[in-house]
Amino acid sequence: MKGTVMDVKGRTALITGASTGIGAAYARELAARGAALILVARRESKLKELADDLRTTHGVRVDVAPLDLARPGAAEILAGHVSELGRTVDILINNAGFATHGDVATADPERLTEQVSLNCTTVVDLTTRFLPAMIAGRSGVVVNVASTAAFQPIAHMAVYGATKAFVLSFTEALWAETAGTGVRVVAICPGSTDTPFFDVVGAEEASMGKRRSPEQVVATTFAALDRGRPSAVDGRVNALLSRLPRLLPRRATLRIAERAVRPNPA
């Protein structure tokens, strides 16, 4: 598959976290390439607005599935909905996820559990539900959105960093397992991106460096898929910084992590 440009025309893509930001950018790019879509997110009004725009602009089929994927059993419900629609998922983009900012000792345990559920459990659950058909058909794509936070521990965002390290490790292992099956797998690792992400985090200082656009993240994803890479970091500066933890002693990496994201002085 390396070196070939991926043709998605007439195929069906399921995108989680599709209402805004990177998820919406994936939807626009895939619709422009002629793919049919299943858009998943919590906010039904946002999904319907995006779906209407994509149908009008690109003339593709777009179904919406308003669903909170952090809830137990949500992936099973979504898979059942896809089956009821009579759709086969050819492209799975696990983009839904969120972060919290603050120390573990003072965090809401339920909120951290939801974060692990959405960022990790749902990714695995949806992948295991839709991957077998892709392998059987010897064609398909799985994109898991990780983060540059996957490369080192992040103090005050400890759970988020750990979940994204899980996504990166899981996806790269999956890439190896699917070699020769016709299925392309990639983990995309964005750095700070111009999305509503930090509104949910609740800490603007968690954003470091110049933000890249969702469209740049999507372009990096497709370039990595076309090249057959197991993972890719979006942006040259982010790529360089992501290599530092592998070069520095572990203790130095932990010190950087401690100072990278500081809580509000108040």
Side-chain angles (χ1 to χ4, degrees), residues 149-172:
F151 295 98
Q152 68 283 308
I154 304 292
H156 317 303
M157 294 178 71
V159 172
Y160 178 74
T163 62
K164 292 305 181 178
F166 174 89
V167 171
L168 179 60
S169 177
F170 169 71
T171 308
E172 291 187 330

Side-chain angles (χ1 to χ4, degrees), residues 165-251:
F166 174 89
V167 171
L168 179 60
S169 177
F170 169 71
T171 308
E172 291 187 330
L174 190 67
W175 176 88
E177 290 181 2
T178 55
T181 67
V183 177
R184 306 190 196 204
V185 175
V186 72
I188 179 68
C189 301
S192 294
T193 309
D194 190 14
T195 73
F197 174 85
F198 295 102
D199 297 336
V200 178
V201 174
E204 187 64 26
E205 69 271 21
S207 174
M208 293 182 291
K210 183 179 179 180
R211 295 187 186 182
R212 285 174 60 81
S213 71
E215 290 74 21
Q216 288 174 311
V217 175
V218 172
T220 300
T221 303
F222 277 94
L225 286 167
D226 288 339
R227 294 169 186 167
R229 292 181 177 175
S231 61
V233 177
D234 177 57
R236 291 183 180 180
V237 174
N238 290 331
L240 288 172
L241 292 175
S242 70
R243 297 189 185 106
L244 284 178
R246 300 177 183 179
L247 302 175
L248 295 173
R250 185 66 173 171
R251 183 173 295 181

Side-chain angles (χ1 to χ4, degrees), residues 57-211:
T57 304
H58 302 291
V60 296
R61 175 177 175 179
V62 184
D63 293 298
V64 299
L67 188 64
D68 182 357
L69 290 172
R71 294 183 178 179
E76 183 179 6
I77 293 171
L78 178 56
H81 180 64
V82 171
S83 179
E84 289 173 1
L85 290 172
R87 311 292 294 277
T88 298
V89 174
D90 305 299
I91 302 164
L92 173 64
I93 300 182
N94 285 308
N95 167 70
F98 73 92
T100 52
H101 184 266
D103 292 351
V104 172
T106 56
D108 177 357
E110 291 185 4
R111 187 64 170 162
L112 294 187
T113 299
E114 287 179 353
Q115 191 176 166
V116 174
S117 177
L118 181 59
N119 295 8
C120 298
T121 305
T122 299
V123 170
V124 175
D125 200 343
L126 289 177
T127 300
T128 54
R129 290 179 187 278
F130 296 118
L131 180 62
M134 295 181 190
I135 292 177
R138 298 196 62 78
S139 178
V141 175
V142 177
V143 175
N144 292 332
V145 179
S147 168
T148 52
F151 295 98
Q152 68 283 308
I154 304 292
H156 317 303
M157 294 178 71
V159 172
Y160 178 74
T163 62
K164 292 305 181 178
F166 174 89
V167 171
L168 179 60
S169 177
F170 169 71
T171 308
E172 291 187 330
L174 190 67
W175 176 88
E177 290 181 2
T178 55
T181 67
V183 177
R184 306 190 196 204
V185 175
V186 72
I188 179 68
C189 301
S192 294
T193 309
D194 190 14
T195 73
F197 174 85
F198 295 102
D199 297 336
V200 178
V201 174
E204 187 64 26
E205 69 271 21
S207 174
M208 293 182 291
K210 183 179 179 180
R211 295 187 186 182

